[in-house]
Amino acid sequence: MSEHRRKPPQPQGGGRAAARRGQSGSSSGRRAAPRGATGSLADSYGTSSQESASYGPGAEEHLQGGRAEARRAAQRSTGGGRRRGAEPAPGSRRGAPAGRGRAAGPGKKRLIDYPRAGKYGVARWVPSWKLVTGLFIGFIGSLVAVAGVGYALVSVPNVDETATAQNNVYYWSDDTEMVSTGGETNRQIVNLAQIPKAMQYAVVSQENKTFYTDSGIDPKGIARAVFNMARGGNTQGGSTITQQYVKNARLNDQSQTVTRKFKEIFISIKVGATVNKDTIMEGYLNSAYYGRNAYGIQAAARAYFNKQAKDLDPGECAFLAAMLKGATYYDPAGAISIDPANATPDANRKRALRQMQDTLDKMVEYGHLSATERARYKTLPAWQNPRSNTQLKGQTGYLVDLAKAYLINNKIISADQLQQGGYSIYTTFDKKKVSELEAAVKKVRKENIDPKKRPDKDTYVQFGGASVEPATGAIRACYGGEDATTHFTNNCDSTGAQVGSTFKTFVLAAAMKWGVRDPDLGESQAQDERTVVNAKSLFSGKNDLKIKNYDGSVWKNEEGKEWLQENDGKQSYGSPPKYQIDLREAMRESVNSAFVQLGMDVGLDKVKESAMDAGLKKDSLAGTNFPSFSIGISDPSAIRMAGAYATFAASGKQNEPYSVERVTSKDGDVFTHKAEPEQAFEKKVADNVTDVLKTVVEKGTGTNAQLTGRDVAGKTGTTDGNKSAWFVGYTPQLSTAITMFRLDDDETKKNRTFLEMYGTGGQEKIHGASFPSEIWHDYMEQALKGQEAIDFPTPEPIGEIVNEEPSPTPTPTFSETESATPTPTPTPSLTFPSPTPTASESCRFAWQCSDTGGTDNGGTDGGVTSTPTATSTDANGGNTNGNGNGNGGLFGGPGG
């Protein structure tokens, strides 16, 4: 209650106040009386201070007392309340506020009453239902207006302008066309009548169950897409069949942007309103991408089942509907070259079967397929190879795969962009060399491999090969298998076959680059103070050599057992009792014991670094926990091995192997390769390695690789258990790697393992010196025909002779005992072991065969029996996985 209401009534006097009370005839005050009821200015809030003063002393008090009386009188009046008392009386002064509750008067009204007038506290900030309704109607109206404008402005593109895309054209290194493939032209339009109802119902059940009743868009799906955009994700997830048809056949722009998405929505609404559902379904199934370069249902039926679309059964239809999810991860043949880790055949088959079964279940649920018919399709249909394009037969399919994988993995062109087509891709592949390499393999296979005659020895024999140009790193030729349309693994890029003694080259390079550690120094000091070796350095060639750490202590495994290194044929080299031979002889005869001990003296970490410097990928190399790392338990690809040896041919300059020179499109140049060679080894290191490898070809295990009038350097390699054999060699102009192995070619089988080659081709044992070096020779003779014969550079002197025996001290008296330096004895000739495996072959690790220490044969040219590695899955210690791809991938390593 205000202060003036607590004052007692004042005596009634004369003057103006009395006159005013007399005129009013009541004691009501200003607040309760209707505005202007007395005609006095004092009855309104408009009374000025000057007027109050003119009434004389005590007038203000009377006015204040009158207000209280007026309020009480108003409350007692028949109308009651402020609302009635606030109403103006006839003749009142218009616009004068009545009493204290002036907010209740007419006043000036606001368009939006917020915060709300006449409300107090929380109620003042709670919008009225009128305000909420008005805003909602306004919002909806705005959306309708925007949609109307968008709908009116957007036109439906012509199908013919966008549905016919171009192929990608691949060219040989001489710019002549190799093949035209990979775009959307692998399409044959068929009428809806030629498309089984099961196919139509499969996509409806899986993709858009309301297709036949909706307007072309799915509001819930669009809401999901908007939500994804708000979270920073892509705009996919809200597409109906109509929208997908619009995107595939009527939109040139395939980008995932907000603008493009809204354009798709408006066009879809228009198409849904103007085009009948059968036409939309026909267009969608004829324009969708099913993988394997198959666009449209007819091309897909041919690619996967080699049949007409009209002949597809419900199981095959559900299978093809799964391919629409993304063939990279659903094609049962796999897509290892694009995603080695996730798109394996086994993983893809599981995904495809799961998706196919889900589609069939939904077809039953929505009444499109009977439960009896559905029960017939519990497994994947019998699909065929992934290359229905006959242009990809022979080696062409492998070459296209290499080029595509190079572009995708190096983020030059995406897989989606390649699928759209329109690119001219100029590869590094020499048509003549590719043909000659294939011919050399076929010659050896035809003359020696006969599965009918020796089914248990000659079945599953495979070859792989690659040829790299040392000066540039360009891949000039590849042999991936007998036919890219029947053998899917590219054997020049990914095999999983261990490289055996061809790895010894990297041990020698490490010894000449970093040197051996001083056994008299501590670990940290020994790493810094090393002695670089030369080819005359002496190491033991003894069979069953007890391997030692660089400090002279005997190497033992985690179980405390020693390692005895076995040579091929259990043969010792050199003269007793020390059996010392120099590194040149050890390389020439591929002596395991010498290089295993050399690797320990240098350090296996340095050996691994040397291999990577030359160009091998880390992911293709085994662990360095065991001495046999030095003799080839790793499994790099033929491309990588050829590229690594090319580093020595180029006097230490390493170039990354590559398969694409340049790419163009209708808009101009897209990509041009730029060589970025690195000096991985000093020139004198690389040239000295080459000089030692020349000895192998001139008078060692690689004599089959000698070329007429040319310098050749190279190395043979065979693994223990005789499960793979290699020859890698080079001239100054070309480096080539050839591999041979046995591996079941049925990629549907799990846990495939490499098979022994004892007796294969009618030979007691397959060596790198046999069929691989023969193929290498035949190919290189033709590949280099007409090119100038160039000699390797003369190497500069390097390093010191480590482990050199001191000259005998002359004595004045005659002695019949042997001198300190024994007379050298002729090196025993290389002998081949019998086909019967050694005892070590039956043990997972050599040192498990006996308590006194195991042995490690390593094969004829220095492979290994069984040394544990992080990825080893079978007794040969190889990185063998279920599909035989090992650590493959682009050029021999994931992401290579």
Side-chain angles (χ1 to χ4, degrees):
M1 184 177 290
S2 62
E3 184 180 349
H4 67 267
R5 293 178 65 182
R6 293 193 299 267
K7 293 180 179 180
Q10 298 297 319
Q12 300 294 321
R16 293 184 180 179
R20 186 162 56 251
R21 284 192 298 271
Q23 292 172 356
S24 65
S26 76
S27 61
S28 61
R30 230 180 354 163
R31 186 172 183 84
R35 194 172 40 184
T38 63
S40 172
L41 294 177
D43 289 335
S44 70
Y45 280 124
T47 304
S48 66
S49 60
Q50 291 89 345
E51 288 176 318
S52 297
S54 67
Y55 293 155
E60 180 64 23
E61 294 179 0
H62 287 297
L63 287 173
Q64 292 175 350
R67 290 173 185 168
E69 291 296 328
R71 185 161 50 253
R72 286 192 293 273
Q75 293 172 351
R76 291 191 299 268
S77 66
T78 57
R82 294 182 180 181
R83 184 175 183 86
R84 188 174 184 89
E87 293 175 358
S92 65
R93 184 169 173 267
R94 190 172 183 83
R100 193 173 178 186
R102 62 179 181 271
K108 184 177 181 182
K109 295 184 177 180
R110 292 180 291 175
L111 179 62
I112 299 177
D113 186 21
Y114 193 84
R116 300 172 67 185
K119 300 289 183 181
Y120 302 92
V122 176
R124 180 174 173 81
W125 301 100
V126 176
S128 67
W129 67 269
K130 292 181 180 180
L131 178 59
V132 172
T133 302
L135 290 175
F136 177 77
I137 293 173
F139 176 73
I140 296 300
S142 299
L143 288 180
V144 171
V146 170
V149 172
Y151 184 87
L153 293 179
V154 169
S155 60
V156 178
N158 191 316
V159 174
D160 293 335
E161 295 175 355
T162 56
T164 306
Q166 304 175 67
N167 261 333
N168 295 316
V169 182
Y170 294 81
Y171 296 89
W172 295 104
S173 59
D174 62 358
D175 291 352
T176 59
E177 184 174 327
M178 177 197 303
V179 65
S180 179
T181 185
E184 289 184 336
T185 54
N186 182 20
R187 175 194 287 117
Q188 183 182 356
I189 303 298
V190 292
N191 296 325
L192 191 64
Q194 297 174 281
I195 302 174
K197 281 290 185 181
M199 188 67 213
Q200 301 174 45
Y201 290 142
V203 296
V204 168
S205 300
Q206 188 59 251
E207 302 287 339
N208 182 194
K209 66 180 181 180
T210 62
F211 168 71
Y212 288 105
T213 59
D214 63 35
S215 61
I217 62 170
D218 175 13
K220 291 182 179 179
I222 293 173
R224 285 195 304 270
V226 172
F227 180 69
N228 288 340
M229 286 186 285
R231 294 172 58 192
N234 59 44
T235 60
Q236 295 176 341
S239 294
T240 62
I241 287 176
T242 302
Q243 285 177 263
Q244 293 179 56
Y245 163 65
V246 167
K247 181 177 67 174
N248 293 340
R250 296 178 181 264
L251 283 178
N252 283 309
D253 183 9
Q254 297 295 314
S255 62
Q256 291 297 321
T257 63
V258 176
T259 302
R260 210 277 310 156
K261 192 69 178 179
F262 276 108
K263 185 177 181 181
E264 174 191 306
I265 292 171
F266 288 132
I267 293 176
S268 298
I269 295 173
K270 241 178 189 179
V271 169
T274 58
V275 181
N276 67 59
K277 295 294 185 178
D278 285 349
T279 301
I280 293 172
M281 176 61 72
E282 177 182 303
Y284 170 62
L285 293 176
N286 276 312
S287 62
Y289 180 65
Y290 297 81
R292 299 190 180 186
N293 295 320
Y295 287 80
I297 185 63
Q298 180 76 349
R302 288 289 188 188
Y304 289 93
F305 307 114
N306 195 28
K307 61 168 62 175
Q308 300 282 345
K310 63 184 179 63
D311 297 326
L312 295 171
D313 63 40
E316 291 166 340
C317 291
F319 172 91
L320 290 179
M323 296 305 105
L324 295 173
K325 293 288 186 181
T328 296
Y329 297 101
Y330 288 90
D331 187 335
I336 295 175
S337 62
I338 295 176
D339 190 345
N342 300 307
T344 63
D346 185 58
N348 280 16
R349 287 173 199 138
K350 291 179 181 178
R351 279 189 286 262
L353 179 59
R354 185 167 56 247
Q355 186 69 21
M356 170 188 164
Q357 297 301 308
D358 182 66
T359 299
L360 290 168
D361 289 340
K362 288 180 178 177
M363 291 172 70
V364 174
E365 179 184 349
Y366 302 142
H368 301 313
L369 185 68
S370 70
T372 304
E373 179 74 356
R374 187 259 177 273
R376 296 174 55 190
Y377 309 107
K378 294 291 188 180
T379 60
L380 285 177
W383 50 275
Q384 66 168 8
N385 73 77
R387 295 186 178 92
S388 60
N389 188 340
T390 56
Q391 291 179 297
L392 297 176
K393 282 185 174 293
Q395 300 306 304
T396 305
Y398 300 124
L399 302 180
V400 168
D401 283 351
L402 286 174
K404 287 173 61 178
Y406 180 81
L407 294 173
I408 293 170
N409 291 350
N410 287 283
K411 304 186 186 307
I412 298 168
I413 300 175
S414 70
D416 288 341
Q417 289 172 325
L418 281 175
Q419 290 170 5
Q420 291 301 310
Y423 294 99
S424 295
I425 301 167
Y426 296 85
T427 73
T428 61
F429 307 126
D430 186 308
K431 184 177 182 179
K432 178 175 174 288
K433 288 182 173 62
V434 170
S435 177
E436 289 161 346
L437 179 54
E438 184 177 29
V441 174
K442 284 183 175 180
K443 175 177 176 289
V444 166
R445 180 182 288 277
K446 182 178 179 180
E447 294 177 354
N448 302 279
I449 309 301
D450 190 347
K452 293 181 179 180
K453 184 178 181 180
R454 292 177 294 272
D456 59 335
K457 305 294 184 183
D458 288 10
T459 306
Y460 307 133
V461 172
Q462 297 186 35
F463 295 91
S467 210
V468 174
E469 190 174 77
T472 63
I475 304 170
R476 294 306 182 192
C478 271
Y479 181 85
E482 290 189 76
D483 191 331
T485 64
T486 58
H487 172 78
F488 308 146
T489 301
N490 190 343
N491 288 349
C492 73
D493 185 37
S494 172
T495 63
Q498 295 180 354
V499 295
S501 284
T502 59
F503 202 81
K504 292 173 182 173
T505 298
F506 308 118
V507 182
L508 179 63
M512 290 182 169
K513 180 176 182 178
W514 286 287
V516 297
R517 293 169 287 185
D518 190 332
D520 297 326
L521 300 176
E523 175 68 28
S524 59
Q525 190 176 359
Q527 290 288 352
D528 298 328
E529 298 186 25
R530 293 169 172 265
T531 302
V532 172
V533 306
N534 63 24
K536 294 182 180 180
S537 297
L538 300 175
F539 285 83
S540 176
K542 182 183 178 182
N543 181 56
D544 285 346
L545 178 68
K546 184 178 292 187
I547 299 302
K548 299 180 179 179
N549 296 306
Y550 82 94
D551 61 2
S553 61
V554 176
W555 186 91
K556 296 180 180 180
N557 67 1
E558 63 274 11
E559 296 180 4
K561 295 184 178 180
E562 299 175 352
W563 186 285
L564 300 181
Q565 182 58 53
E566 184 178 291
N567 290 329
D568 177 59
K570 303 182 182 297
Q571 182 175 343
S572 293
Y573 295 82
S575 300
K578 293 188 175 182
Y579 295 99
Q580 284 191 319
I581 56 172
D582 64 34
L583 290 178
R584 186 181 296 277
E585 181 184 358
M587 186 71 80
R588 183 179 72 232
E589 301 300 336
S590 199
V591 180
N592 290 341
S593 56
F595 278 94
V596 169
Q597 187 58 61
L598 176 61
M600 298 299 289
D601 292 350
V602 174
L604 298 183
D605 58 330
K606 293 300 183 184
V607 174
K608 187 171 186 176
E609 187 174 345
S610 171
M612 293 171 61
D613 286 345
L616 299 188
K617 285 293 182 182
K618 182 178 181 179
D619 290 334
S620 70
L621 299 177
T624 57
N625 297 327
F626 292 85
S628 58
F629 176 77
S630 294
I631 50 176
I633 60 175
S634 300
D635 60 358
S637 69
I639 290 177
R640 284 290 167 184
M641 286 300 289
Y645 271 51
T647 299
F648 300 109
S651 293
K653 290 184 179 180
Q654 193 269 330
N655 287 281
E656 273 294 294
Y658 70 101
S659 57
V660 178
E661 289 285 2
R662 69 185 191 280
V663 179
T664 63
S665 70
K666 62 182 178 62
D667 298 321
D669 293 338
V670 176
F671 163 77
T672 301
H673 174 78
K674 294 181 180 179
E676 297 178 351
E678 295 183 4
Q679 193 71 40
F681 300 94
E682 291 181 12
K683 184 177 186 302
K684 64 179 180 180
V685 171
D687 290 347
N688 272 277
V689 170
T690 295
D691 191 59
V692 172
L693 294 182
K694 281 176 61 179
T695 309
V696 175
V697 177
E698 290 172 353
K699 46 189 174 182
T701 59
T703 54
N704 281 348
Q706 293 176 0
L707 299 177
T708 306
R710 293 182 184 275
D711 271 0
V712 176
K715 184 70 187 75
T716 53
T718 305
T719 56
D720 183 65
N722 205 207
K723 294 179 179 179
S724 62
W726 290 73
F727 185 81
V728 187
Y730 56 93
T731 68
Q733 299 106 315
L734 200 61
S735 176
T736 299
I738 303 295
T739 181
M740 176 182 177
F741 54 92
R742 287 183 67 209
L743 182 66
D744 187 348
D745 200 35
D746 185 356
E747 296 183 355
T748 64
K749 292 184 178 179
K750 296 181 179 180
N751 303 320
R752 294 187 300 152
T753 58
F754 288 86
L755 306 174
E756 294 178 344
M757 294 189 290
Y758 296 110
T760 297
Q763 296 197 5
E764 189 175 10
K765 183 177 182 180
I766 299 299
H767 305 79
S770 56
F771 296 144
S773 64
E774 183 180 340
I775 292 171
W776 190 96
H777 168 271
D778 293 349
Y779 161 67
M780 291 289 280
E781 282 282 16
Q782 297 301 315
L784 295 172
K785 184 178 291 186
Q787 294 188 37
E788 179 185 0
I790 302 175
D791 293 336
F792 289 118
T794 302
E796 300 177 20
I798 190 174
E800 302 176 15
I801 303 175
V802 300
N803 302 325
E804 183 178 16
E805 293 185 345
S807 300
T809 303
T811 57
T813 58
F814 174 76
S815 173
E816 295 182 355
T817 60
E818 293 182 358
S819 61
T821 304
T823 303
T825 59
T827 302
S829 61
L830 189 63
T831 60
F832 301 126
S834 64
T836 304
T838 62
S840 64
E841 293 167 5
S842 63
C843 308
R844 176 164 178 78
F845 304 140
W847 35 264
Q848 290 178 333
C849 295
S850 68
D851 293 335
T852 57
T855 61
D856 189 359
N857 186 317
T860 301
D861 303 301
V864 296
T865 300
S866 53
T867 301
T869 65
T871 54
S872 180
T873 60
D874 66 2
N876 74 346
N879 298 340
T880 306
N881 63 19
N883 60 17
N885 287 321
N887 279 323
L890 179 59
F891 305 161

